[in-house]
Amino acid sequence: MTTNTHVVRAACPHDCPDTCALHVTVENGVAIKVQGDADHPTTKGVLCTKVSRYTERTYHPDRLLHPLKRVGPKGSGEFVRVSWDEALDEIATRLGAIAAREPEAILPYSYAGTMGFVQGESMAARFFNKIGASDLDRTICASAGAAGLRYTYGAGVGMHVEHFVDSKLILIWGSNPITSSVHFWAIAQEAKRRGAKLIAIDPYRSLTAEKCHQHIALLPGTDAALALGMMHVLIAEDLVDHEYIARHTVGYSELKDRVRRYTPARVAEICGIPEETVTTLAREYASAKPAAIRLNYGMQRARGGGQATRAVACLPALIGAWRDPAGGLLMSTSGYAPVDAAAQARPDLRARQDKPARIVNMSAIGDALCHPGDDVFGPKIEALVVYNSNPVAVAPESSKVAAGFGREDLFTVVLEHFQTDTADYADFVLPATTQLEHLDIHKAYGHTYLLANNPAIAPLGESKPNSEIFRLLAKRMGWQEPCFSDTDDQLAEQSIRWNDARMAGSDWETLKRDGWIRYDLPEAPFANGQFYTPSGKCEFYSERMREEGFDPLPDWVPPYESVASNPGLAERYPLAMISPPARNFLNSSFVNVDSLRATVGEPTLDIHPEDAAPRGISDGASVRIFNDRGTLNAKARVTEKAREGVVVGLSIWWKKLAPDGKNANEVTSQQLTDLGRAPTFYDCLVDVAPV
Ligand SMILES: Nc1nc2c(c(=O)[nH]1)N[C@H]1C(S)=C(S)[C@@H](COP(=O)(O)OP(=O)(O)OC[C@H]3O[C@@H](n4cnc5c(=O)[nH]c(N)nc54)[C@H](O)[C@@H]3O)O[C@H]1N2
Ligand SMILES: Nc1nc2c(c(=O)[nH]1)N[C@H]1C(S)=C(S)[C@@H](COP(=O)(O)OP(=O)(O)OC[C@H]3O[C@@H](n4cnc5c(=O)[nH]c(N)nc54)[C@H](O)[C@@H]3O)O[C@H]1N2
Ligand code: SF4
Ligand SMILES: [Mo]
């Protein structure tokens, strides 16, 4: 037999800033290798460990290959195989009956299991718009930081990641790129070889912080204070770029007043770091040219996360760092993509154009599902359709989430690759295709390219793309609108405004053929101002925020739960817990890939020797982590990587694959951030005791 081998151009679907360009090698219809595209300027032929093993995930023996219907009690994971016809008929009938009475009792629940537009909010969004469902506020990751950037720069925009290679100082702030953005880390290392200084700002001595020249281990949720303290020094010592400020910023004099109260001494106390660290950092930041900040989402998961992002985002404008392509800041680049959201989601399909849909925040899904319904909340949630997300593992205050999902009167459909913690609570589980089996189009949030994902292999078993599942459901609902017949190819093409100048005349056919294309943008995006704000300037003072009832100037908003801000609670639960991602998991994805889970071993908790000793905790001991919301077990690692007062449990475990059936979200809270209504995963007091 002759072997038939070819290579397919694809894109990594995962929620990761790097959005790699992939080459998938297919032999006789089987994907045998997934590699990074050597020509793509940020992927450079390299993938992370997880996605190098993507075929292991796609061909995993536990892949869901046919529809399942629940037979046991909710959460028991007892299902029988059913046909697609039986599953789709019953789902359409049940949703149709609810919609006839109260459409807003239906709720989609989805996030970035895939970041593709086609398998994300296109056909699915059309389906929920047409049925008149409640809208999901998709806040679980980045919406605090996104709001901070939007008020300051006008959108999620920043430096081209490639230019960090020429930076002389890089602040890696609330970011652990060795884990969460390896391609940025490769660039930062090259900058280091060329003489750049790297400084990590992180309460935890992460894999990245260990490898930087300096590590500033501030207390969680105190970043805004540090940024305001730096501004205090920059202004007091006249280290600012007056010309840039005058031409390209708004509100300098108001900002000057605001930062007066953030003296290095006060900031040092808030952040739990030496006073001279604040002063030296500010001076170095002003003198290194060009200076760049890689800001990331770890620092916006506390109450003041929105304002913290805003405060840090003001820094590059104060010193005029934006003048150089290798100066400025990168948190997100997703605002550069000329996305046509209305063409994707078709909000015009909603019958009620006179009133906005009821909105349910995904970050408080536990409370939402447990709510009986009233005039303020709106109707009780009766049906939930989950895709691209695993809320029973990833959403905060997990005991409430599980209680909500456990409601016998809730009708739940889960589209998945695997029988996750969430799928265990489904009435119907529908098998979805993976990235190798479907078509998609991807923007990124950590670089400035648009990518295509061509399908490499046929769907495994009876699995279907999300888009096709919603297309089939729409047919069963009897909807006649032509948009419910659009193919995946059409959905992809409709996602982008191709005539936007940033697309430089490219089209979908070219993108599919070439795999990726760089947006046409200036190399130093804000050298001449041209921010995406209403004023076109970097807004230190935001008139929009004032109008919307927020503090128009950046400020430090203390955490809900910290020793200083909540001493009563801290008496009982004196340790701040953070639960950032483990390197070989991707949120809760890959936890079920045995070879990757083996590298992590079991759930761990890093604790400082000074916190461990008085509690009688020795290295390797089993410990119980607890607060009023819940409790979980982990293996203690007594280490100075965790600063005193802070414990670190790398995440996000599948609950059912942890020895005690629990993960870090047992103890996290459903409180929301100051801006963006985001979760506060890293704003969480606990205590720890030997088991
Ligand atoms: N391997 C891997 N890669 C991933 C993911 C994954 O799960 N695994 N997840 C992906 C997703 S969805 C996202 S959003 C990104 C997340 O990746 P990042 O944006 O890098 O954010 P986190 O990993 O949450 O946190 C980064 C660092 O912030 C620190 N941190 C915690 N609290 C604070 C604080 O208050 N201030 C400061 N300055 N630092 C703090 C943490 O200790 C951690 O080392 O990574 C993506 N990439
Ligand atoms: N304690 C704690 N909790 C956290 C965080 C933390 O740092 N600490 N991080 C938070 C962050 S930043 C995020 S982004 C969220 C992430 O939370 P989620 O967005 O829920 O991400 P995952 O856990 O990776 O789950 C994605 C699921 O989608 C499925 N999936 C992937 N592709 C497809 C597809 O094409 N079709 C269908 N139907 N399914 C698909 C995968 O199999 C997987 O089970 O978690 C948050 N939760
Ligand atoms: S998870 Fe991130 S680093 Fe890994 S292949 Fe995907 S985009 Fe690249
Ligand atoms: Mo995220």
Side-chain angles (χ1 to χ4, degrees):
M1 179 182 122
T2 55
T3 43
N4 175 358
T5 307
H6 65 285
V7 173
V8 177
R9 288 183 180 278
C12 177
H14 288 295
D15 189 348
C16 168
D18 296 7
T19 310
C20 289
L22 308 180
H23 282 178
V24 184
T25 308
V26 183
E27 198 174 279
N28 296 325
V30 177
I32 55 167
K33 214 163 37 181
V34 177
Q35 291 168 298
D37 179 347
D39 296 329
H40 183 255
T42 62
T43 307
K44 287 194 169 149
V46 179
L47 301 178
C48 64
T49 316
K50 309 172 291 291
V51 174
S52 304
R53 303 200 185 154
Y54 204 76
T55 55
E56 210 179 311
R57 186 175 187 278
T58 292
Y59 294 112
H60 195 291
D62 297 342
R63 264 294 292 279
L64 294 166
L65 298 177
H66 32 73
L68 298 171
K69 181 178 178 171
R70 177 169 71 90
V71 287
K74 287 250 168 150
S76 67
E78 289 167 49
F79 293 89
V80 291
R81 177 174 178 174
V82 293
S83 68
W84 271 108
D85 277 339
E86 184 181 345
L88 294 172
D89 285 343
E90 188 171 336
I91 293 166
T93 307
R94 297 278 302 262
L95 294 181
I98 296 170
R101 210 170 9 89
E102 183 50 87
E104 291 189 342
I106 299 171
L107 180 71
Y109 195 99
S110 68
Y111 200 63
T114 167
M115 299 225 310
F117 289 131
V118 176
Q119 307 309 331
E121 310 314 322
S122 60
M123 196 55 81
R126 292 177 185 182
F127 180 88
F128 293 109
N129 275 330
K130 175 72 186 170
I131 208 167
S134 289
D135 236 352
L136 186 72
D137 203 4
R138 291 183 172 80
T139 55
I140 199 136
C141 172
S143 61
L149 286 186
R150 195 168 58 245
Y151 289 125
T152 316
Y153 301 160
V157 289
M159 287 171 65
H160 293 276
V161 70
E162 295 95 318
H163 290 312
F164 277 87
V165 77
D166 297 316
S167 308
K168 284 289 166 271
L169 173 70
I170 305 179
L171 306 185
I172 301 182
W173 199 322
S175 167
N176 178 15
I178 292 185
T179 287
S180 61
S181 184
V182 285
H183 297 82
F184 165 72
W185 180 245
I187 296 169
Q189 274 181 304
E190 178 56 27
K192 189 177 174 188
R193 282 191 287 273
R194 297 185 189 180
K197 179 172 181 182
L198 310 187
I199 302 179
I201 302 176
D202 191 319
Y204 179 53
R205 205 200 304 146
S206 66
L207 293 171
T208 304
E210 248 170 8
K211 295 208 164 50
C212 289
H213 297 97
Q214 188 187 348
H215 172 208
I216 300 175
L218 79 186
L219 286 165
T222 63
D223 301 87
L226 180 58
L228 291 157
M230 288 171 70
M231 295 187 218
H232 179 102
V233 176
L234 294 173
I235 292 170
E237 301 186 1
D238 198 23
L239 301 173
V240 300
D241 182 334
H242 290 286
E243 200 213 26
Y244 191 91
I245 291 170
R247 296 183 53 186
H248 305 308
T249 73
V250 177
Y252 179 60
S253 66
E254 291 91 337
L255 182 70
K256 224 164 132 175
D257 281 345
R258 173 59 57 90
V259 304
R260 208 160 276 145
R261 50 179 115 131
Y262 287 94
T263 61
R266 176 164 175 241
V267 167
E269 191 181 325
I270 293 171
C271 300
I273 56 176
E275 187 178 330
E276 80 178 46
T277 304
V278 183
T279 322
T280 312
L281 179 65
R283 290 177 188 153
E284 279 189 69
Y285 180 63
S287 62
K289 285 187 191 337
I293 301 176
R294 182 64 173 107
L295 189 62
N296 226 325
Y297 295 98
M299 49 72 70
Q300 48 101 67
R301 306 200 201 290
R303 182 187 187 177
Q307 280 283 35
T309 302
R310 211 169 120 58
V312 178
C314 291
L315 286 165
L318 267 188
I319 62 160
W322 289 114
R323 291 175 183 274
D324 193 297
L329 176 146
L330 169 59
M331 182 179 218
S332 176
T333 51
S334 71
Y336 286 127
V339 175
D340 194 340
Q344 291 171 342
R346 297 291 305 270
D348 58 294
L349 291 164
R350 281 195 175 263
R352 294 289 309 266
Q353 292 289 327
D354 56 318
K355 85 178 204 355
R358 183 261 293 266
I359 294 175
V360 176
N361 190 333
M362 70 187 304
S363 302
I365 189 65
D367 281 347
L369 291 178
C370 295
H371 202 292
D374 62 22
D375 288 348
V376 180
F377 178 77
K380 177 177 172 175
I381 298 168
E382 296 177 49
L384 192 64
V385 183
V386 183
Y387 51 102
N388 305 341
S389 185
N390 183 11
V392 174
V394 307
E397 203 172 0
S398 205
S399 61
K400 291 213 177 135
V401 181
F405 271 85
R407 272 175 45 201
E408 288 291 339
D409 65 338
L410 179 72
F411 179 64
T412 305
V413 180
V414 176
L415 285 59
E416 251 301 347
H417 299 151
F418 294 105
Q419 191 66 34
T420 57
D421 290 324
T422 304
D424 280 350
Y425 287 92
D427 291 279
F428 282 97
V429 181
L430 303 178
T433 46
T434 70
Q435 188 78 343
L436 302 189
E437 301 149 74
H438 56 226
L439 180 108
D440 222 320
I441 182 169
H442 288 256
K443 69 170 181 178
Y445 59 99
H447 64 57
T448 33
Y449 298 80
L450 187 70
L451 291 87
N453 183 71
N454 293 291
I457 57 171
L460 264 61
E462 295 179 2
S463 65
K464 293 184 193 296
N466 293 342
S467 52
E468 175 67 6
I469 296 173
F470 286 106
R471 209 178 273 125
L472 292 170
L473 281 171
K475 291 269 162 354
R476 287 209 168 37
M477 303 301 293
W479 298 334
Q480 303 299 327
E481 288 82 351
C483 72
F484 290 111
S485 302
D486 285 346
T487 62
D488 284 5
D489 212 64
Q490 287 170 312
L491 291 171
E493 183 160 26
Q494 292 158 7
S495 294
I496 296 295
R497 289 182 278 106
W498 298 96
N499 58 2
D500 187 283
R502 284 166 286 191
M503 295 315 303
S506 188
D507 60 21
W508 171 230
E509 290 307 318
T510 321
L511 182 66
K512 269 196 292 187
R513 186 193 67 207
D514 297 346
W516 45 267
I517 134 172
R518 193 174 199 251
Y519 305 127
D520 191 1
L521 293 168
E523 297 303 321
F526 310 123
N528 301 307
Q530 297 176 313
F531 288 92
Y532 287 46
T533 49
S535 62
K537 300 182 179 196
C538 175
E539 298 194 350
F540 300 144
Y541 179 97
S542 166
E543 183 57 27
R544 279 187 300 175
M545 290 183 78
R546 195 194 57 77
E547 284 166 13
E548 292 169 25
F550 297 112
D551 183 348
L553 288 165
D555 205 354
W556 172 59
V557 180
Y560 290 109
E561 303 189 2
S562 75
V563 173
S565 63
N566 197 339
L569 186 66
E571 234 168 74
R572 288 188 294 144
Y573 304 120
L575 299 172
M577 177 164 175
I578 57 176
S579 49
R583 185 180 191 180
N584 285 338
F585 298 160
L586 207 136
N587 301 323
S588 77
S589 298
F590 296 98
V591 179
N592 62 326
V593 173
D594 295 341
S595 64
L596 292 171
R597 194 172 65 258
T599 64
V600 181
E602 59 184 301
T604 55
L605 186 79
D606 288 8
I607 181 168
H608 190 276
E610 297 291 329
D611 292 322
R615 292 176 172 80
I617 294 167
S618 56
D619 190 43
S622 274
V623 294
R624 195 166 65 86
I625 306 155
F626 57 98
N627 59 21
D628 288 341
R629 292 178 288 266
T631 166
L632 74 146
N633 293 340
K635 186 174 94 174
R637 299 194 296 200
V638 177
T639 165
E640 287 177 3
K641 288 182 184 179
R643 63 160 288 163
E644 258 186 275
V646 178
V647 291
V648 184
L650 298 181
S651 294
I652 310 170
W653 277 79
W654 277 29
K655 301 209 291 186
K656 62 180 166 183
L657 293 180
D660 63 343
K662 292 180 175 168
N663 72 16
N665 284 320
E666 293 297 325
V667 291
T668 55
S669 88
Q670 294 181 75
Q671 301 251 50
L672 302 175
T673 51
D674 56 344
L675 307 175
R677 308 162 307 280
T680 52
F681 290 113
Y682 307 164
D683 186 333
C684 171
L685 284 176
V686 299
D687 204 356
V688 181
V691 172

